[in-house]
Amino acid sequence: MNETDGQTTDRDDARTASPATAQNSGTGTLGKALSVLETVVTSDTPLRFSDILVLSGQPRGTLHRQLSHLVEEGLLVQGRDLCYEPGLRLLKFAYRSWSKNQFRAVAAPHLRKLHEETGETVHLGVLRGTEIIYVDKVESRQTVRMESQIGNASPVYCTGLGKAALSVLPPGRLAETLGKLTFHRFTANTHLSAASLKRDLDEARLRGYAFDREEHETEIRCVAAPIHDAGFDLVAGISVTGPAYRVTMEQLEIWANPVRQAAMAISEDVEIRLGPGR
Amino acid sequence: MNETDGQTTDRDDARTASPATAQNSGTGTLGKALSVLETVVTSDTPLRFSDILVLSGQPRGTLHRQLSHLVEEGLLVQGRDLCYEPGLRLLKFAYRSWSKNQFRAVAAPHLRKLHEETGETVHLGVLRGTEIIYVDKVESRQTVRMESQIGNASPVYCTGLGKAALSVLPPGRLAETLGKLTFHRFTANTHLSAASLKRDLDEARLRGYAFDREEHETEIRCVAAPIHDAGFDLVAGISVTGPAYRVTMEQLEIWANPVRQAAMAISEDVEIRLGPGR
DNA sequence: AATGTCGTTCCATTATGTGGAACTCGCTCT
DNA sequence: AGAGCGAGTTCCACATAATGGAACGACATT
């Protein structure tokens, strides 16, 4: 019944590989602590101390103190089986973070409109590094739970939102982002190389919208259009998603226009309401 | 070394920090950084550098570096108006944190059942310090958005969930928690003293359930029952909430039983599925 | 009992964060 | 204009707070 969970294999993190010259983040102590936190939080399985030990590559004593601090702060909790789990303080932070998100608020009415036009699920996602973070959604059927994808992070290269966002990046930033990608096969259609992805992006750029042809999940298709501000500080996308049996590629072509219009309307509102520049 | 979260009932904490280096001491650098993050994230208004300066009580140079680090880490972003806002990384963390929450998963079917029985909104919240963190909900009408309260933090003393949770605390912990409270009047019915709250809690303890008689928001009532594990490491509550015009106190009395049953069922499931102890 | 694994604690070393003061920018007031 | 002010940013001697190797204790396995 409920489930969610999804996938999102983003196993980056944990720069274990290079103990020597590990190239520590620029943010010193905080960065290291967050890196540990992220390892725990994004793991698909519960982690014990020594699991984290190998993933993080830190010395025992150091890691132990970092974890203790994270627990003291309520960002992690340790169950009686000694496994570390995400703590409630994270939820609290996120609620505030989400409810105050200006971009989401500005875009919300457009999402609803697009949903009314198409009848399928509409997503809003923001580009962050090599990931798309889902920021809002309007669901078709009010299924079970709200536990929508909000906050979920999916790779750029296999989602409509991701490809739409990438397609408008200035060449420099695009190259930089592509360079950081590591590909993972989710379905038979997943892009597995930068070259293949780049061709797809070129088409998307010309058309003004991108598809997901069951590249992330089988039986799931979507069409997405890019949103960005003048300075490309904000790069995002809006999409309509549906099951393949109900949503043909022809249907997606038809929806492409409304999706683009919604995207453009949001882009405009962003410039107006969040101020030029930003 | 207890220290958990310490204060912060939202609202003004600004100047409580005056007594020289008030509350830190727990987790060193990380704690301070998170304290800054929390100030920004929980603020009701956008904050500029110097706002945070007075709120945090840190020296200029220090605060500036802390903020820079938080921005570098993606926990905050700085708009062109120089205001700091919560960053997307928080959302990502929270999604994982929420979707992996065992307690929520165990309780979910009971929430749905209770919703079917009552037809009104059902909430699940966990006690954390002096706050109740909303962890899940099932809404009556699928209004607009999912933006439910999930992750929202409300004071214990004016919510049904909060009072239900407090009512089962062992005397020691209850006293400790009451001692940390600072009361703020939300409505005409809000408890404004520990004494008054304590009387209410005594009644709730006897009955086995607690009410919110428009104590947090006018025109909103609820009935809530406590959930906890053997060691009181997990203290939570489940509630049914509705608008006063539709939900009379008599109605709440009637729902009290189903609510209690749901709470007890969850308590049992927790012991079984999450293991004794914890 | 002996051995191995895992989590926790200790402590000398030094890398890191600290915070007062000086600097820069943009704005308002006269 | 120019002085004056307030907001944000940078700098650097100093000491706090993180580091990580090594020892310790608790179980489990043989």
Side-chain angles (χ1 to χ4, degrees), chain B residues 225-236:
Chain B
I227 299 168
H228 67 92
D229 67 0
F232 292 93
D233 286 319
L234 172 70
V235 179

Side-chain angles (χ1 to χ4, degrees), chain A residues 27 38 42-43 73 80 89 92 94-96 98 112 128 131 136 145-147 150-151 274 278, chain B residues 27 38 41-42 73 80 89 92 94-96 98 112 128 131 136 145-147 150-151 274:
Chain A
T27 47
E38 184 149 5
T42 61
S43 159
E73 288 298 332
R80 90 265 71 138
R89 184 131 85 130
K92 175 181 170 182
Y95 171 71
R96 299 306 198 110
W98 186 79
R112 276 198 291 275
R128 189 185 119 79
E131 294 176 328
D136 207 350
R145 8 219 36 258
M146 178 71 137
E147 48 189 288
I150 290 176
L274 301 191
R278 184 212 168 70
Chain B
T27 48
E38 184 149 5
V41 169
T42 61
E73 288 297 333
R80 101 261 68 137
R89 182 131 85 128
K92 176 181 170 183
Y95 171 70
R96 298 308 198 109
W98 186 79
R112 275 199 291 275
R128 192 186 117 79
E131 295 177 328
D136 206 350
R145 7 221 37 258
M146 182 66 139
E147 51 187 285
I150 290 175
L274 301 190

Side-chain angles (χ1 to χ4, degrees), chain A residues 99-171:
Chain A
S99 65
K100 289 176 56 183
N101 189 295
Q102 308 260 22
F103 174 58
R104 193 208 95 243
V106 166
H110 301 283
L111 297 213
R112 276 198 291 275
K113 177 155 175 281
L114 185 56
H115 170 63
E116 280 160 26
E117 291 168 356
T118 62
E120 292 290 345
T121 299
V122 173
H123 278 120
L124 180 72
V126 176
L127 180 66
R128 189 185 119 79
T130 62
E131 294 176 328
I132 282 288
I133 311 253
Y134 288 81
V135 169
D136 207 350
K137 90 169 184 185
V138 179
E139 248 178 319
S140 48
R141 64 260 191 74
Q142 11 282 49
T143 346
V144 271
R145 8 219 36 258
M146 178 71 137
E147 48 189 288
S148 60
Q149 298 269 97
I150 290 176
N152 193 8
S154 292
V156 272
Y157 59 88
C158 59
T159 55
L161 286 175
K163 294 194 293 181
L166 289 185
S167 77
V168 291
L169 279 188

Side-chain angles (χ1 to χ4, degrees), chain B residues 158-201:
Chain B
C158 60
T159 54
L161 285 175
K163 294 193 293 181
L166 288 186
S167 77
V168 291
L169 280 188
R173 255 187 81 182
L174 176 57
E176 185 192 339
T177 307
L178 289 180
K180 284 195 234 156
L181 287 179
T182 58
F183 294 85
H184 175 264
R185 159 162 262 140
F186 290 98
T187 75
N189 295 349
T190 308
H191 286 293
L192 291 176
S193 73
S196 147
L197 174 61
K198 209 159 189 307
R199 279 193 299 275
D200 199 357
L201 294 181

Side-chain angles (χ1 to χ4, degrees), chain B:
Chain B
M1 32 181 108
N2 59 26
E3 155 63 301
T4 335
D5 60 343
Q7 69 322 336
T8 316
T9 313
D10 300 354
R11 306 298 113 169
D12 61 4
D13 38 357
R15 68 232 296 192
T16 56
S18 21
T21 57
Q23 65 251 55
N24 298 328
S25 78
T27 48
T29 309
L30 177 65
K32 292 175 198 168
L34 287 174
S35 165
V36 170
L37 177 63
E38 184 149 5
T39 353
V40 175
V41 169
T42 61
S43 158
D44 299 315
T45 64
L47 296 180
R48 294 185 310 291
F49 179 83
S50 38
D51 300 322
I52 308 173
L53 190 58
V54 296
L55 287 172
S56 72
Q58 304 262 27
R60 301 171 89 75
T62 302
L63 179 67
H64 189 262
R65 183 177 28 75
Q66 288 170 334
L67 285 169
S68 307
H69 283 173
L70 288 169
V71 169
E72 273 184 73
E73 288 297 333
L75 302 181
L76 291 178
V77 294
Q78 194 173 19
R80 101 261 68 137
D81 56 355
L82 297 185
C83 280
Y84 290 90
E85 298 169 24
L88 285 176
R89 182 131 85 128
L90 287 175
L91 263 191
K92 176 181 170 183
F93 280 163
Y95 171 70
R96 298 308 198 109
S97 154
W98 186 79
S99 65
K100 289 175 58 184
N101 189 295
Q102 307 260 22
F103 174 58
R104 192 209 95 243
V106 166
H110 301 284
L111 298 212
R112 275 199 291 275
K113 176 154 175 281
L114 184 56
H115 170 63
E116 279 160 26
E117 290 168 354
T118 63
E120 293 290 344
T121 300
V122 173
H123 277 121
L124 180 72
V126 175
L127 179 66
R128 192 186 117 79
T130 62
E131 295 177 328
I132 280 289
I133 311 248
Y134 289 79
V135 169
D136 206 350
K137 91 169 182 184
V138 178
E139 250 178 317
S140 47
R141 62 260 189 76
Q142 11 282 49
T143 346
V144 271
R145 7 221 37 258
M146 182 66 139
E147 51 187 285
S148 60
Q149 298 269 96
I150 290 175
N152 193 9
S154 293
V156 271
Y157 59 87
C158 60
T159 54
L161 285 175
K163 294 193 293 181
L166 288 186
S167 77
V168 291
L169 280 188
R173 255 187 81 182
L174 176 57
E176 185 192 339
T177 307
L178 289 180
K180 284 195 234 156
L181 287 179
T182 58
F183 294 85
H184 175 264
R185 159 162 262 140
F186 290 98
T187 75
N189 295 349
T190 308
H191 286 293
L192 291 176
S193 73
S196 147
L197 174 61
K198 209 159 189 307
R199 279 193 299 275
D200 199 357
L201 294 181
D202 290 337
E203 291 172 24
R205 190 176 307 111
L206 287 175
R207 281 195 305 257
Y209 49 94
F211 293 114
D212 169 358
R213 304 177 176 85
E214 310 183 44
E215 295 161 40
H216 190 25
E217 272 182 85
T218 54
E219 298 302 312
I220 298 290
R221 297 198 179 115
C222 98
V223 56
I227 299 168
H228 67 92
D229 67 0
F232 292 93
D233 286 319
L234 172 70
V235 179
I238 182 171
S239 70
V240 174
T241 308
Y245 73 84
R246 194 164 63 202
V247 177
T248 61
M249 288 303 297
E250 291 71 40
Q251 180 59 267
L252 288 186
E253 290 282 5
I254 295 170
W255 282 339
N257 232 347
V259 172
R260 282 191 63 189
Q261 310 236 299
M264 292 189 309
I266 294 173
S267 294
E268 277 169 34
D269 274 16
V270 165
E271 295 297 331
I272 297 166
R273 310 237 332 243
L274 301 190
R278 186 209 168 75

